[in-house]
Amino acid sequence: NAGVTQTPKFQVLKTGQSMTLQCAQDMNHNSMYWYRQDPGMGLRLIYYSASEGTTDKGEVPNGYNVSRLNKREFSLRLESAAPSQTSVYFCASSEQPHSNQPQHFGDGTRLSIL
Amino acid sequence: QQQVKQSPQSLIVQKGGISIINCAYENTAFDYFPWYQQFPGKGPALLIAIRPDVSEKKEGRFTISFNKSAKQFSLHIMDSQPGDSATYFCAGYNDYKLSFGAGTTVTVRA
């Protein structure tokens, strides 16, 4: 059982380039999330999808777009990458968007923007 | 502006000792407080969680203490083991969203 799978695991971009981070879950979860993790900042929510067909902004959405392609897949797109977007990106999923539903995380995508 | 403040940033404890991590929050709408454990190169994983109407929750060597009036909660790791060496994040949940603390890196020396 793979859980939450993120691709790629590592990526280096130049400023201004675009890129899509992919995320897929095989747990039949309804809700999916994108976070970024920076030293001393913990994890900050970028966007989330409470259910298939819906997406909403989180704490730090500027410079990002998302697509809930189907129930399994939730992608994060950087249209014009900036050095400030250098971070580790985590995708997560939960059965329902409710407090008592644990979020299951992938192993992250390490993104460097030069 | 982080809604959950976590301390210390890092701590070192001897094998068998007690690790204590503290968190404070401002948002009284939080209705669920989970702790996540993260090993290097991996994503966080849920460790233990508590609701604000409960003052303490224990699961094995891990205990959450919760003080609603002070808006503080803490994680105690009893009999710390080298395998507990990881980064720990506290969080508060409200309106479909988790707000995480900055994290505490725990190192357990054998």
Side-chain angles (χ1 to χ4, degrees), chain B residues 13 16 25 31 39 42-43 45-48 50-51 54 67 76-77 80 82 85 92 98 100 103-104:
Chain B
V13 63
Y25 64 96
D31 62 3
F39 295 105
K42 297 294 186 181
L46 180 65
L47 181 65
I48 185 172
I50 196 167
R51 291 202 177 277
V54 176
N67 185 330
H76 291 61
I77 307 173
S80 296
S85 295
L98 274 174
F100 285 86
T104 297

Side-chain angles (χ1 to χ4, degrees), chain B residues 3-4 6 11 17 23 33 39 52 65-67 69 90-91 101 103 106:
Chain B
Q3 296 191 56
V4 180
Q6 183 172 348
L11 67 90
C23 288
F33 297 88
F39 295 105
S65 298
F66 192 88
N67 185 330
S69 60
C90 60
V106 174

Side-chain angles (χ1 to χ4, degrees), chain A:
Chain A
N1 195 345
V4 177
T5 302
Q6 294 184 236
T7 56
K9 295 189 186 307
F10 303 92
Q11 185 70 46
V12 179
L13 292 177
K14 294 181 180 178
T15 298
Q17 287 185 315
S18 62
M19 169 153 195
T20 300
L21 279 59
Q22 306 287 352
C23 174
Q25 53 91 9
D26 62 3
M27 295 173 283
N28 200 34
H29 284 172
N30 288 292
S31 305
M32 298 185 74
Y33 313 83
W34 276 105
Y35 293 89
R36 59 178 290 173
Q37 183 176 22
D38 302 291
M41 302 289 290
L43 291 98
R44 292 180 292 168
L45 183 65
I46 305 171
Y47 271 93
Y48 68 100
S49 172
S51 60
E52 187 178 357
T54 69
T55 60
D56 285 284
K57 295 179 181 179
E59 182 184 353
V60 289
N62 291 345
Y64 305 96
N65 285 300
V66 290
S67 295
R68 184 74 184 265
L69 304 171
N70 47 56
K71 190 172 185 179
R72 289 187 64 248
E73 298 173 289
F74 189 38
S75 63
L76 178 72
R77 183 161 177 84
L78 287 70
E79 289 291 351
S80 178
S84 62
Q85 294 177 305
T86 292
S87 187
V88 182
Y89 291 85
F90 287 99
C91 177
S93 70
S94 64
E95 189 171 340
Q96 298 290 345
H98 302 306
S99 60
N100 64 344
Q101 299 292 316
Q103 293 187 14
H104 300 262
F105 286 79
D107 286 339
T109 293
R110 285 145 184 84
L111 183 61
S112 293
I113 299 161
L114 307 178

Side-chain angles (χ1 to χ4, degrees), chain B:
Chain B
Q1 187 97 4
Q2 279 195 299
Q3 296 191 56
V4 180
K5 292 182 170 28
Q6 183 172 348
S7 63
Q9 185 175 357
S10 63
L11 67 90
I12 298 173
V13 63
Q14 293 297 121
K15 181 181 175 182
I18 302 173
S19 303
I20 301 173
I21 305 169
N22 300 300
C23 288
Y25 64 96
E26 291 297 325
N27 188 347
T28 55
F30 286 152
D31 62 3
Y32 184 69
F33 297 88
W35 286 86
Y36 280 78
Q37 179 188 54
Q38 184 182 29
F39 295 105
K42 297 294 186 181
L46 180 65
L47 181 65
I48 185 172
I50 196 167
R51 291 202 177 277
D53 55 348
V54 176
S55 60
E56 185 175 282
K57 183 172 182 180
K58 182 176 181 179
E59 290 185 1
R61 296 183 293 106
F62 300 89
T63 300
I64 302 176
S65 298
F66 192 88
N67 185 330
K68 188 174 181 178
S69 60
K71 293 187 286 185
Q72 295 176 348
F73 59 111
S74 61
L75 177 70
H76 291 61
I77 307 173
M78 312 300 287
D79 186 26
S80 296
Q81 299 297 311
D84 297 331
S85 295
T87 299
Y88 294 81
F89 294 94
C90 60
Y93 181 94
N94 170 247
D95 192 25
Y96 301 144
K97 295 184 283 287
L98 274 174
S99 296
F100 285 86
T104 297
T105 300
V106 174
T107 302
V108 181
R109 294 269 165 85

